[in-house]
Every structure is written in C-alpha cells, then in structure tokens.
Amino acid sequence: MFDILLQTVLASTEISLYENLKVIESIKKSSLQKSENTFVFDLYCLMQKQKIDIKDIGHVWVVNGPGYFTGIRTGLAISKTFVDVLQIPIRLINTFQWLETGISDCKDTIKIFIPSSAREGYLGFIKNSVLEETFLVLTKDVLKQKKIGFENALIYTNDKELAEQKNMTYIEPKFTLPSVFEEVETTRKVIPEYFRTEDQLFKKQ
Amino acid sequence: MNILGIETSCDDTAVAVVNSDGEILSNVLSSQTEFHAKYGGIVPEIASRKHLELISHVCFESLEKAQIKWSDIDLISVTKGPGLVGSLLVGVEYARGLSVVLKKPIKGINHMEGHLLSPLLTQKVPFPYMGLVISGGHTEFVLVEKSGKYLKVSSTVDDACGESLDKFGKQIGILYPAGPLIEKLAIEGNSKAYQFPLPKVKKDPLAMSFSGLKTSVMHVITSLSSEDLLKEKQNLCASYQYALFRHVLVTAKKVVLKYPVRALTISGGVSANMNLYKTLSDGLSVPVFKPAKKLSTDNAAMIAYAGFLRFKAEGPDSLNFEVFSNLPLASYNTV
Ligand SMILES: Nc1ncnc2c1ncn2[C@@H]1O[C@H](COP(=O)(O)OP(=O)(O)OP(=O)(O)O)[C@@H](O)[C@H]1O
C-alpha cells in the first residue's frame, strides 16, 4: 500500500510517496510561493513515475499547521478531494510533531518556532511528541528572546534565514511519518486550528 | 459531457454542473456577504478560510441537485483569476485535486470570460458580438469574435457603473448592493426630474467615465433637506439611473458603429436591470441579449460553460497553470 504526504505549510515544501511507511520518492521545493501552483502537478508526476494508480493509495498525510496560512489552505484543499471522492482517509499531522522528527535525542521540552506570515509565527513547546503549549508571536519578539521570557534558550526553527539570525537552531524534518496524527474520514468538518483569531487578525491591520 | 464549474474568486463559494448542450443541471452558491457585513467589507483571509470550509459542502450539494455522481463528471473548470489570490487558490487546488483523483481534464478560466460568455448558456447568440460586462468591478465593452478571441474596445476610466450605483445608494441610505432597490425606486420616479451632463473622456471617445456623474448627484443630494431628500428619492434614482445608462447607450452606439457586430450581450451584476436592457434594446440597431437573472452575478455555471467552450477549442490545461489576482482578458485596443 502506498501513502501520499503533503507538506505545504513551511518555507520549504515537500510532496512525497511512501510504501509501507518508508519514503520512496519526494519532491522538495525551497520556496512555498514558487511551488504554490505545482503541488498537484508534482504529485501527479511522482505517481506516474512510480507507476502508482490512485486506487493504490491507502492514506493521504497532510501537515495541517501551524505554518504559512496560504499553505495550510492549499494542502487541505488538495487532500479534501481524496476523501470527498475516493473516501481515502486523511491523516492530519501537526507541524510541531512533524518537525520534532528532525530532532533526535530529546528528553526535555523543546521549543520550536514556525513562521506563519512575514512577521509572525507560532511558538510551540513539545515533549515526547506531546504538544504542551502553542501561541502566536511576532518574529521580532522571538529573535529578542528576552521579550518573551526566555534568555538564550535553544529555539528550533525550520526557517534557514531565521536560524542564521543567530538565536535559533535550524532543523529539518526526517522523512519518518510521525506516530501522532489525527485520522479523518470526512473533510466536511476539517477546520484548521492554526489560523489567526478575529482579535489577532484585526490587531494586525 | 458534464462539466463541473468551480468559482471562488471573491466571497461566494459557487459550484455548478452544466452539460455540453449548455443545460444547467445545478448552480449552487453559498454567499459570505452577511458574514463579512459585520467587518464592513470583505476580509481576504476570512474569505479564503470560508471557501475551504464550504467547498466540499457546496460541491456535494451541486452533484446532488444535478443528480449525478462524481464518475459522471467529464471536465473540471475553475476560475483562475482575476480575484483574491487566497480565495482563488482554494478553488483551484480543490479542482486540481479532483482532476487527479477523477482522472479528468481541467481548464482554468478567466472570471471575466465567464461573464462574457454567460449569455450563450441560455440562448443562441451570433458571433461576432459585442459583450458589455457591467458590474460592481467592471464596465467594459469586449469584442467577441469567437470563444477565446477577445478584444477590449472600451472601458471606464474611473468607477464601474455598479460601483457608482452603490456609492449613490449609500448617500441616500440604501444598503449594498444598492442596484436592485434603485431600479425599483426608479420605476416610481421621473427620470427627467434632474438633469445630469453626458460624460466625455477627452483623449478617448470610446472610453467611459462615471465619477463626474457621481459628483453631480452628490451636489444635488447635499443641496436637499433631509425631508426633501426623502420625498425626492424616487426622482433621484430615476434621473441618476437614466444618466448612467444614457452614457452606456451613447458609448454602445459608438462602439458598434466602429466594430460591426451581429449582436450585443450584457452580463455582470448590473445586467439584471430591466431598464438597462430596455434602454439598449430600444436604442441600438443590433439585437441585445442578457443572461438569465441567476447568471448575471458571480456564479459557477458560467465558469463551467466557458471551460467547456475553451476545452473544445484548445484541449485541456496542464495541472500547473498559474493563478492571478490581476488577469486581463484581452489587450486594450486604444483608439
Ligand atoms: N437590478 C440591478 N440594477 C442595477 N445594478 C444592479 C442590479 N443588481 C445588481 N446590481 C449591481 O451589480 C453589482 C454586483 O454585481 P457582481 O456581483 O457581478 O459584481 P462584482 O462582484 O461587484 O464585480 P466583478 O464581478 O466585476 O468583480 C453591484 O454593484 C450591484 O449594485
């Protein structure tokens, strides 16, 4: 049985095919903006190349946030069609748990920062795959850690540029599908968690 | 052949099924207007989120109403611009996904092309024709030689006609969209009660301009006491509507004289106005066609049908076609 993974929410995106939960081929793009129009095309090409038919797909795994808001909507809109038409269940993966696969040996609480727009992102605390807390913060505040109550703490991020601005450590997810996910069989009720609340939305404008 | 049309360019989530004979099997629309009203206008991020929430529901309802199954769909047609990119992307990604899981071709369609071809859905219109797209966002004449071959020949240089109606409506206490109520009130009023000048655009005799008329009517409104304004509402509506449509008619006459066509079509929100239709039908020598009322404002049936016509002419699109916030339909033929 084959699985599809759609990760369209981070600055660098990936579309992958798995066989028995092991990755067999993947297309990675370094810019979400540039790959916006090609996710489905890439997926189609991957399936053609591997000679995989739609009916061979067992699950669609989709990273559903936090991350760039447009990317969240994109991944979910694509994955909805699989459930709506073929009743293939989708497995929603939290981005923190997805990135956690890139950090080995973690016994303590890990802090991860995931950008969601040019100016802000989500800071999450995770321990042994359990998400303890998340909140929306301004990127500049995370860079000045003092303001958010940490001094020289180790904060991980998947954003290379931010990591280079010294205060954060760059991580890349491994291709391992996480053991924690939420399986849904109808998308009629899938509403992403990580969108700005109305208060957050209007404070920004 | 059954075509599934998807339209999410602004704040309405719309899905329709149309067949290759132009028969509309279903035309479902879920409007977010009330939802955005509390913010005083469309909030793009909320609009795209709502599309994501609604797209599956609206799609299922459309299939149900058309009494067809997924497997009965032969082509997917979707709006690729112009519009709000976040909103467009939800419809387009869903359509792309459908194309892969259903193994059916896809067509990305310009929203304006949908409007322009919408009169063809319910009647036979001879080519070449002049299409007047007249709505809250556009007022332009486009020469349609055949589906896919367009030339924009006239456009407003400032406000769109529907926008002028809405702005005027706001001043006399009519809620958005003001067009329908203005039409109603105008029937009871005297269109000669107030005289407004015929606009002229100096550099381009085929261009239109509505902002001057708006300024003129504002002068009249501010000169009236609130009591008189209440009494004069019908007359103001009739006179202002007359002035706007006379400008459209005068331009239409020039346009069809310069570009001989076999018909004129009107589409877009303002085309629902019977007075506009009558003004143009009475004043022009060519026959005038308008879409059915449900097809004059944004809808997915027009996208489905435009997709079918384009597919017939040029085959399917690649899955990676681009989405544009600004997507001109045709180059502007300056005179
Ligand atoms: N009966 C009518 N008479 C006059 N105007 C009308 C009537 N019905 C609707 N309108 C006007 O049509 C406009 C809305 O039309 P529509 O939804 O097609 O346009 P839009 O979404 O604002 O613009 P576009 O589709 O060009 O981006 C509004 O300006 C409204 O006042």
Side-chain angles (χ1 to χ4, degrees):
Chain A
M1 203 33 109
F2 297 91
D3 285 2
I4 291 169
L5 170 92
L6 305 171
Q7 187 283 97
T8 60
V9 308
L10 300 174
S12 56
T13 61
E14 59 210 275
I15 304 291
S16 308
L17 273 178
Y18 288 75
E19 185 174 14
N20 300 325
L21 302 183
K22 291 226 161 60
V23 68
I24 48 172
E25 191 160 357
S26 181
I27 296 182
K28 275 190 141 198
K29 299 257 163 94
S30 58
S31 153
L32 170 64
Q33 249 176 0
K34 281 193 197 130
S35 51
E36 240 161 34
N37 288 305
T38 64
F39 292 127
V40 181
F41 178 74
D42 290 345
L43 175 65
Y44 179 75
C45 293
L46 274 185
M47 287 172 55
Q48 291 274 305
K49 200 173 151 208
Q50 296 288 337
K51 300 197 173 56
I52 295 171
D53 192 79
I54 278 290
K55 65 177 188 311
D56 304 323
I57 305 291
H59 300 103
V60 178
W61 299 71
V62 56
V63 181
N64 77 327
Y68 288 105
F69 298 120
T70 311
I72 298 177
R73 290 191 294 262
T74 303
L76 286 175
I78 299 168
S79 53
K80 271 180 173 229
T81 58
F82 285 82
V83 194
D84 288 351
V85 180
L86 305 167
Q87 279 98 45
I88 294 177
I90 51 176
R91 293 183 164 176
L92 303 171
I93 313 173
N94 182 292
T95 320
F96 288 113
Q97 282 151 344
W98 174 242
L99 284 174
E100 194 202 14
T101 62
I103 307 166
S104 45
D105 226 13
C106 45
K107 285 177 213 84
D108 300 328
T109 297
I110 303 165
K111 301 178 190 71
I112 302 178
F113 178 70
I114 300 168
S116 56
S117 72
R119 297 171 42 209
E120 63 202 351
Y122 286 84
L123 191 60
F125 298 175
I126 185 166
K127 190 176 178 181
N128 296 327
S129 300
V130 180
L131 207 53
E132 294 176 334
E133 206 182 340
T134 63
F135 43 94
L136 187 67
V137 277
L138 291 175
T139 308
K140 65 173 174 23
D141 291 343
V142 184
L143 285 171
K144 286 188 223 137
Q145 294 188 12
K146 224 174 175 177
K147 192 153 182 194
I148 50 170
F150 315 127
E151 219 146 340
N152 305 321
L154 189 61
I155 299 178
Y156 291 94
T157 184
N158 68 294
D159 189 308
K160 255 195 176 128
E161 263 179 57
L162 280 180
E164 277 162 16
Q165 291 177 26
K166 282 202 186 93
N167 281 341
M168 288 182 237
T169 309
Y170 178 66
I171 32 161
E172 245 184 83
K174 293 230 175 75
F175 282 102
T176 337
L177 290 169
S179 52
V180 189
F181 58 83
E182 185 194 346
E183 184 159 307
V184 287
E185 283 173 15
T186 162
T187 55
R188 293 193 187 202
K189 285 205 181 94
V190 172
I191 299 165
E193 255 175 272
Y194 295 99
F195 277 152
R196 292 187 195 101
T197 60
E198 284 173 32
D199 279 355
Q200 289 164 342
L201 198 62
F202 291 103
K203 201 162 68 189
K204 185 183 149 259
Q205 281 174 357
Chain B
M1 184 176 194
N2 291 321
I3 306 104
L4 184 82
I6 299 177
E7 150 70 45
T8 60
S9 63
C10 191
D11 61 337
D12 293 330
T13 315
V15 180
V17 181
V18 169
N19 69 20
S20 41
D21 297 327
E23 217 182 313
I24 301 169
L25 306 183
S26 67
N27 191 16
V28 182
L29 186 137
S30 173
S31 172
Q32 303 176 11
T33 310
E34 266 177 46
F35 189 80
H36 290 278
K38 69 174 183 214
Y39 305 111
I42 295 165
V43 185
E45 189 173 320
I46 291 181
S48 40
R49 249 185 250 180
K50 280 266 152 207
H51 284 306
L52 182 65
E53 265 177 61
L54 291 168
I55 188 86
S56 298
H57 297 268
V58 180
C59 212
F60 279 113
E61 196 182 328
S62 191
L63 292 180
E64 224 164 85
K65 286 216 164 121
Q67 297 186 327
I68 62 162
K69 301 185 295 291
W70 286 112
S71 53
D72 298 322
I73 298 203
D74 304 292
L75 173 70
I76 297 135
S77 178
V78 61
T79 307
K80 65 173 176 182
L84 304 166
V85 170
S87 290
L88 287 163
L89 267 173
V90 174
V92 168
E93 297 296 5
Y94 191 78
R96 284 178 174 137
L98 284 182
S99 170
V100 169
V101 296
L102 293 170
K103 300 182 186 162
K104 295 292 152 110
I106 189 168
K107 248 358 241 176
I109 289 298
N110 184 311
H111 176 84
M112 295 300 292
E113 185 172 13
H115 275 308
L116 206 53
L117 301 175
S118 64
L120 304 184
L121 254 168
T122 43
Q123 62 226 308
K124 267 214 140 26
V125 182
F127 291 105
Y129 65 81
M130 188 58 71
L132 164 63
V133 181
I134 183 162
S135 66
H138 296 85
T139 304
E140 55 195 45
F141 287 92
V142 180
L143 174 65
V144 182
E145 285 184 39
K146 56 179 183 176
S147 75
K149 192 143 193 257
Y150 313 111
L151 183 70
K152 181 150 75 159
V153 299
S154 162
S155 174
T156 175
V157 292
D158 40 58
D159 295 348
C161 187
E163 189 184 355
S164 320
L165 284 165
D166 296 333
K167 285 179 177 167
F168 161 72
K170 201 172 172 190
Q171 292 303 316
I172 59 165
I174 301 175
L175 290 178
Y176 174 88
L181 189 54
I182 294 173
E183 177 179 13
K184 243 192 208 160
L185 293 172
I187 295 171
E188 299 153 20
N190 173 8
S191 63
K192 303 266 159 35
Y194 297 92
Q195 312 271 319
F196 297 106
L198 183 69
K200 275 200 180 88
V201 180
K202 262 196 197 137
K203 281 189 203 134
D204 183 354
L206 288 192
M208 292 169 279
S209 164
F210 295 96
S211 69
L213 284 174
K214 183 186 62 198
T215 313
S216 308
V217 80
M218 292 306 167
H219 282 314
V220 177
I221 293 170
T222 45
S223 73
L224 292 172
S225 68
S226 45
E227 229 167 62
D228 284 345
L229 184 60
L230 205 63
K231 270 195 248 147
E232 286 300 298
K233 231 177 188 174
Q234 282 86 344
N235 284 342
L236 274 171
C237 286
S239 305
Y240 187 58
Q241 183 181 275
Y242 171 79
L244 293 175
F245 294 169
R246 181 180 61 161
H247 181 34
V248 175
L249 173 66
V250 169
T251 314
K253 279 183 176 170
K254 287 190 242 173
V255 162
V256 297
L257 193 68
K258 182 153 186 210
Y259 299 92
V261 284
R262 294 172 65 198
L264 181 121
T265 62
I266 44 177
S267 51
V270 186
S271 75
N273 188 300
M274 278 315 289
N275 186 275
L276 173 69
Y277 176 69
K278 195 169 178 319
T279 304
L280 292 169
S281 300
D282 292 350
L284 293 173
S285 54
V286 292
V288 178
F289 295 88
K290 72 207 260 331
K293 200 154 190 162
K294 245 196 135 178
L295 299 179
S296 59
T297 45
D298 292 353
N299 66 87
M302 66 180 194
I303 301 302
Y305 197 59
F308 165 67
L309 294 176
R310 291 303 284 261
F311 177 74
K312 215 169 56 168
E314 62 202 20
D317 283 343
S318 166
L319 274 169
N320 57 353
F321 62 83
E322 272 190 64
V323 168
F324 300 94
S325 61
N326 188 359
L327 182 64
L329 181 62
S331 54
Y332 193 11
N333 198 29
T334 43
V335 278

